[in-house]
Amino acid sequence: MERIGFVGTGVMGGSMAGHLLDAGYPLAVHNRTKERAAGLVERGAVWHDRPGSLAAASDVVITIVGFPADVEQVYLGADGVLAAMEPGSLAIDMTTSSPALARRLAEAGAERSITVLDAPVSGGDRGAREATLAIMVGGDDAGFRRALPVFEVMGGNIRHLGPAGAGQHTKMSNQIAIASGMMGVCEAMAYAGAAGLDPSAVLEAIETGAAGSWSLSNLMPRALRGDFAPGFKIKHFLKDLRIAIESAREMDLEFPGLATAIGLYERLEAVGRGEDGTQALLDLYRQRSA
Amino acid sequence: MERIGFVGTGVMGGSMAGHLLDAGYPLAVHNRTKERAAGLVERGAVWHDRPGSLAAASDVVITIVGFPADVEQVYLGADGVLAAMEPGSLAIDMTTSSPALARRLAEAGAERSITVLDAPVSGGDRGAREATLAIMVGGDDAGFRRALPVFEVMGGNIRHLGPAGAGQHTKMSNQIAIASGMMGVCEAMAYAGAAGLDPSAVLEAIETGAAGSWSLSNLMPRALRGDFAPGFKIKHFLKDLRIAIESAREMDLEFPGLATAIGLYERLEAVGRGEDGTQALLDLYRQRSA
């Protein structure tokens, strides 16, 4: 079996790497905060202090870190993985990151005969735990086929959407659809409450029809009972949305819905709610009407 | 059985009235354009030239017309139904109309011991044909119980949400959720196309997760193949959204998502696309990027 090096063992990566261990892959791990990899090391993963030494000992490197700047550092930085990997090896960035950076990494890899795929996921911490993540893949065909058995250990709906950057672009489409959709469901629930109706009853009346959405049925019941614990944190959602609107602008696209949603989420972040789940947007509408 | 008078036998009302005939109700009909009631008259409905004479011959009057101004005319106009109905009778307005007008009609009816319910529907022409409409009802309890057997002939998800106006408010919540949601799915698909991906493949990759919605799965496949035939016409959607934002303003609510969506749909209407289905919003984004 391929030797896998895993960089980024946080909430998402920790579960995903655990599945690889369970499947019997020899696993090397690195994380900015070493303690968060302790559970994996106890189960047999080999710790590396630096991404470079991990990469030199791996056939396949998987990364899932925070921001595009972190991705750039891990791949291209002073002790980065691309310089350390053997020709013929495979790197997969599963961070939600910028499509342009994904293309740059694929090009930088190709110069050294290293295949780099972009493969962001959706499905959250639960999808990671249950190995049901949607995995949206960009990059070359041979690389995708090689990675597929590894993806199948971590996810369910696995799709190859196109060349390098296509995975990130697909994830951006996903986040763009969610952004305005969240405004819609929060405005609908805020309206119902202000009109003196029971928002939960209204939700049940409308969720089965043309207003139905995952956000309405899954996030609004939590928000209506005051549960703002993150499935997905506002600060991470904003990171994704800023990449999306930047990427859209590079293509001369103007997305007023997305821009409006970003503005609202930035107001929430500005009042210290970046750690809340995205459903906390409902509070912004409620406060305005209070 | 109650004698039913039905005002407004268009695409929606024609199917709904047909179900009442099938169920054996004695039916009187009136419509602004007489020809559109011909099929019902052939099947046994009795034509009336004026709403007032229809109302005088009915125990229950059902209306589903175009705009709030039409509702006002039918109920309160020179030859309107309220003045002609017997005390103890029931009127049900199933037009999507203003919550404030629904309350006014209920009050005007109560002065003459006539119960008026607001009961707008969702589910479109197909829901009307298949008698699966969601029916969102506002008004008093006894009126709702009396109307329920009639509603059950025309719809599926039938809910009593509160006093007069509650049905219209619920329908407004429904349309508000859809409005921003449509921006989201159209921006997502426009982004995918501009990024060089196959939007249909992206749709399939994201519709099963947190970006999933009725609009994405049902309207975007049509829009992507250039099918802009109306399930629901832009001009009617705009009518609803204008009622919604007016009603929101009366409650001092500020809905930037809704306002943004209205602005985009008004641009489509301004270029002559009011007769297209709501999914034509995708074209606006495509043209901008062309």
Side-chain angles (χ1 to χ4, degrees):
Chain A
M1 290 178 105
E2 310 232 50
R3 299 169 301 159
I4 299 181
F6 206 106
V7 179
T9 58
V11 174
M12 298 293 292
S15 294
M16 293 157 72
H19 295 308
L20 295 171
L21 273 180
D22 292 340
Y25 283 101
L27 194 72
V29 293
H30 171 77
N31 194 52
R32 196 157 50 188
T33 310
K34 185 176 178 179
E35 297 76 49
R36 290 212 183 144
L40 293 164
V41 171
E42 280 171 25
R43 292 166 62 194
V46 177
W47 171 260
H48 286 258
D49 275 325
R50 296 168 299 120
S53 82
L54 170 141
S58 303
D59 305 309
V60 177
V61 170
I62 296 175
T63 55
I64 180 161
V65 295
F67 290 79
D70 303 316
V71 174
E72 195 166 1
Q73 179 66 27
V74 165
Y75 278 83
L76 303 171
D79 198 18
V81 301
L82 279 189
M85 291 177 80
E86 294 289 327
S89 56
L90 172 67
I92 309 168
D93 182 34
M94 303 187 79
T95 316
T96 295
S97 175
S98 110
L101 177 57
R103 285 192 300 271
R104 272 178 56 211
L105 296 181
E107 285 162 16
E111 285 171 14
R112 299 197 52 249
S113 300
I114 298 162
T115 301
V116 184
L117 302 178
D118 50 301
V121 302
S122 79
D125 52 344
R126 183 172 165 184
R129 271 198 313 279
E130 299 178 355
T132 57
L133 292 169
I135 305 179
M136 298 160 260
V137 189
D140 80 40
D141 283 334
F144 176 75
R145 285 194 301 274
R146 181 174 172 187
L148 190 56
V150 177
F151 289 145
E152 285 172 342
V153 170
M154 301 184 286
N157 187 3
I158 299 157
R159 293 182 188 253
H160 184 206
L161 283 310
Q168 297 298 352
H169 276 312
T170 301
K171 180 69 186 276
M172 291 302 117
S173 292
N174 189 75
Q175 304 302 69
I176 290 167
I178 292 171
S180 291
M182 285 299 297
M183 287 196 297
V185 298
C186 290
E187 293 181 2
M189 293 296 99
Y191 180 98
L197 307 184
D198 172 3
S200 298
V202 170
L203 190 157
E204 288 172 19
I206 70 175
E207 71 178 336
T208 57
S213 70
W214 189 96
S215 295
L216 180 64
S217 294
N218 289 279
L219 295 181
M220 285 304 99
R222 296 187 209 173
L224 289 172
R225 63 175 179 262
D227 174 4
F228 300 116
F232 193 59
K233 288 182 182 177
I234 286 172
K235 70 177 184 181
H236 294 143
F237 192 42
L238 265 174
K239 175 204 82 167
D240 295 356
L241 298 185
R242 287 169 179 144
I243 296 170
I245 206 159
E246 178 60 30
S247 179
R249 282 178 185 143
E250 287 166 8
M251 298 188 283
D252 286 325
L253 298 170
E254 194 190 329
F255 287 161
L258 176 60
T260 304
I262 290 174
L264 296 175
Y265 275 111
E266 283 179 338
R267 290 180 47 181
L268 279 167
E269 190 180 49
V271 295
R273 304 207 50 181
E275 300 287 333
D276 279 350
T278 53
Q279 71 271 24
L281 180 60
L282 181 60
D283 257 3
L284 192 65
Y285 286 104
R286 280 173 163 171
Q287 285 159 11
R288 290 177 141 184
S289 66
Chain B
M1 290 179 104
E2 310 232 52
R3 298 170 300 160
I4 299 181
F6 205 106
V7 178
T9 56
V11 174
M12 299 293 293
S15 294
M16 294 157 71
H19 295 308
L20 295 171
L21 272 180
D22 291 340
Y25 283 102
L27 194 72
V29 294
H30 172 76
N31 194 53
R32 195 157 51 188
T33 311
K34 185 176 179 181
E35 297 76 49
R36 291 214 182 143
L40 292 164
V41 171
E42 280 171 25
R43 292 167 60 194
V46 177
W47 171 259
H48 286 259
D49 275 327
R50 296 169 299 117
S53 82
L54 171 141
S58 303
D59 305 308
V60 178
V61 170
I62 297 175
T63 53
I64 180 162
V65 294
F67 290 79
D70 303 316
V71 174
E72 196 166 359
Q73 178 66 26
V74 165
Y75 278 83
L76 302 172
D79 197 17
V81 301
L82 279 188
M85 290 177 81
E86 294 289 328
S89 56
L90 173 67
I92 310 167
D93 182 34
M94 304 187 78
T95 315
T96 295
S97 175
S98 113
L101 177 57
R103 285 193 300 272
R104 272 178 57 211
L105 295 182
E107 286 162 17
E111 285 170 16
R112 300 198 51 248
S113 300
I114 297 162
T115 301
V116 183
L117 303 178
D118 50 301
V121 301
S122 80
D125 53 343
R126 184 173 164 180
R129 270 198 313 277
E130 299 177 356
T132 57
L133 292 169
I135 305 179
M136 298 160 260
V137 189
D140 81 38
D141 282 335
F144 176 74
R145 284 195 301 276
R146 179 173 173 189
L148 190 56
V150 176
F151 289 147
E152 285 173 341
V153 170
M154 301 184 287
N157 188 2
I158 299 158
R159 294 182 187 253
H160 184 207
L161 284 309
Q168 297 297 353
H169 277 312
T170 301
K171 180 67 187 278
M172 291 302 118
S173 292
N174 188 75
Q175 304 302 69
I176 289 168
I178 292 172
S180 290
M182 284 299 298
M183 288 195 296
V185 299
C186 290
E187 293 181 1
M189 293 295 99
Y191 180 98
L197 308 184
D198 173 2
S200 298
V202 170
L203 190 158
E204 287 172 18
I206 69 175
E207 70 177 338
T208 58
S213 71
W214 189 94
S215 295
L216 180 63
S217 293
N218 289 278
L219 295 182
M220 285 304 100
R222 296 186 209 174
L224 290 172
R225 62 175 180 259
D227 174 3
F228 300 115
F232 193 59
K233 287 182 182 176
I234 285 171
K235 69 177 186 182
H236 294 142
F237 193 41
L238 265 174
K239 175 205 80 166
D240 295 357
L241 298 185
R242 286 169 180 145
I243 296 170
I245 206 157
E246 178 61 29
S247 178
R249 281 177 186 145
E250 286 166 9
M251 299 188 282
D252 285 325
L253 298 170
E254 194 189 329
F255 287 160
L258 176 59
T260 305
I262 290 174
L264 297 175
Y265 275 111
E266 284 179 338
R267 290 180 48 181
L268 279 167
E269 190 181 49
V271 296
R273 306 212 42 186
E275 300 288 331
D276 279 349
T278 53
Q279 72 272 24
L281 180 60
L282 181 60
D283 256 2
L284 191 66
Y285 287 104
R286 280 175 164 168
Q287 283 158 14
R288 289 177 141 184
S289 66

